[in-house]
Amino acid sequence: MTEFRILGPVEVHDGRTGRRVVPSGTKQRTLLAALVIEAGRTLTVDRLADELWGDEPPQRAANAVQAHVARLRRMLSDSGDGDWISTEPMGYLLRLGNATTDAQRFQRLSAEGRAAASTDPAHATELLERALAVWRGPALQDCLRGPLCAAEAERFEEHRLSTLEKLYETRLHETPLRSAPLDDVTGELERLTYEHPLRERFYDLSMVALCLAGRPAEALGVYERARKVLLHMLGVEPGPALRARMEAAIRHSPFADLGTTPPPRALAHDASGSTPGSTPGNNPGSTPGGISDVAALLDLGGTVAQLRERVDELSREQGTLLRRIDELAAAAAGGAQSREYGGAARRTRTARNSLAGQESGPVITRPMPPAA
């Protein structure tokens, strides 16, 4: 089966023969990437020109776009897979048919892994690892960064990072039952906090892993590093989930803030070096309650991360809508010959101002005091 790949260098892969078709030239790769992103939907000539040339289109942009599409068609037809690109009245459309994209494969595996996380952490870990293995490099790695490709690359990267966060969460779910060493996990999470210093969820998971490993003092060090980074780069303190984790670690009960009993691995590392209340042959580290304990521990941070992801997604959708309103306003301005345009332009400006007001927050008006 043919697969269009955009999570890394842009290419077309034939699953039957193993053959890879790589468009030559940045504009050809960008054109293919844009069509794959909008597969099944028509991309107008104006949007494609904006993607390929930005604010400096050629004099005959429509003809230039047509020439690039013709070259891309020849390249895809030479691969023996037929004609993928259709000419529509307003632009061009890529029909996938029986083909797929690596982005679809990644999203499917990620969704399946998230769904399995609460009931089967081991299977969820496998699915999430397979999802992340789909990536061959940064999304749309060798493309121009027009409005469409830039927005999609950002969205894909956010999805990749949230999947990575979920992967480490499921690994920590597995830890109590497997009694697996945590050195690898703590080291990997420490690296991720340095690679993505503004993502609080990685700090949170790092603190959880360190507490599970019986290293609460190091967990407090992670919090302090996160606090310094956020204050320096954003001028803000850590969020409530991270502060709650810090306060619980100070009490040497990093799970009490969530109303749970400390997981067995954490109990096994008290100051005396033994588990409180344990007797030979009765090791709490082997009890089956660890998974539910860690699940409760991770719920708060996971919920915060999901909410933040949703807020980011809504912000991107709002930006797309604002750009669309600008396009409509520009189109209306070109035919400003009739009264209807005046009303349409005013409505467009009103809609844009309304959205801008939502972006900056509500405007509160107060009544003026009566004149003396």
Side-chain angles (χ1 to χ4, degrees), residues 30-303:
T30 303
L31 175 61
L32 177 58
L35 290 168
V36 171
I37 290 168
E38 293 291 315
R41 296 186 291 269
T42 300
L43 267 175
T44 65
V45 171
D46 287 343
R47 288 189 72 190
L48 287 172
D50 194 24
E51 205 67 24
L52 296 177
W53 293 285
D55 295 333
E56 299 180 354
Q59 289 186 347
R60 298 177 179 236
N63 290 343
V65 169
Q66 184 179 23
H68 276 288
V69 170
R71 282 182 56 196
L72 186 60
R73 273 187 173 137
R74 285 195 298 272
M75 184 208 73
L76 292 176
S77 63
D78 289 345
S79 69
D81 291 320
D83 189 6
W84 299 98
I85 303 173
S86 301
T87 302
E88 303 294 317
M90 297 296 293
Y92 301 93
L93 177 148
L94 177 70
R95 300 184 188 276
L96 288 177
N98 293 326
T100 61
T101 72
D102 59 351
Q104 292 173 339
R105 184 156 55 102
F106 164 69
Q107 290 167 344
R108 175 178 55 80
L109 289 168
S110 178
E112 290 175 358
R114 291 171 184 275
S118 60
T119 56
D120 191 348
H123 184 50
T125 296
E126 178 189 352
L127 290 168
L128 294 169
E129 287 175 343
R130 286 171 55 194
L132 292 165
V134 172
W135 287 68
R136 296 164 294 112
L140 310 171
Q141 180 175 338
D142 46 7
C143 295
L144 298 169
R145 283 297 186 260
L148 177 60
C149 285
E152 286 302 299
E154 181 183 349
R155 185 177 71 86
F156 284 134
E157 177 63 7
E158 175 60 33
H159 196 174
R160 184 186 74 85
L161 290 175
S162 65
T163 300
L164 192 59
E165 291 168 347
K166 192 66 178 179
L167 171 63
Y168 281 97
E169 182 179 318
T170 59
R171 284 181 177 175
L172 293 174
H173 274 255
E174 288 185 87
T175 298
L177 286 185
R178 294 193 323 174
S179 297
L182 281 162
D183 291 344
D184 290 345
V185 174
T186 55
E188 291 165 10
L189 284 167
E190 180 182 17
R191 174 180 55 80
L192 288 169
T193 62
Y194 282 103
E195 291 179 358
H196 307 281
L198 299 182
R199 292 189 76 88
E200 291 188 42
R201 184 58 171 153
F202 284 136
Y203 293 110
D204 189 25
L205 291 168
S206 180
M207 293 179 70
V208 171
L210 288 167
C211 287
L212 283 171
R215 296 152 61 185
E218 294 178 54
L220 293 175
V222 170
Y223 175 84
E224 186 58 28
R225 177 161 56 85
R227 180 176 177 274
K228 289 178 179 178
V229 168
L230 293 171
L231 281 172
H232 175 70
M233 299 184 71
L234 300 178
V236 299
E237 293 278 351
L242 209 54
R243 290 199 303 271
R245 192 80 67 231
M246 177 271 296
E247 292 166 359
I250 288 175
R251 297 193 300 270
H252 296 285
S253 56
F255 314 103
D257 60 313
L258 300 176
T260 64
T261 302
R265 292 180 64 86
L267 281 171
H269 297 278
D270 68 352
S272 66
S274 61
T275 301
S278 64
T279 58
N282 180 26
N283 181 6
S286 62
T287 61
I291 287 292
S292 61
D293 292 335
V294 178
L297 164 68
L298 294 165
D299 276 347
L300 177 60
T303 300

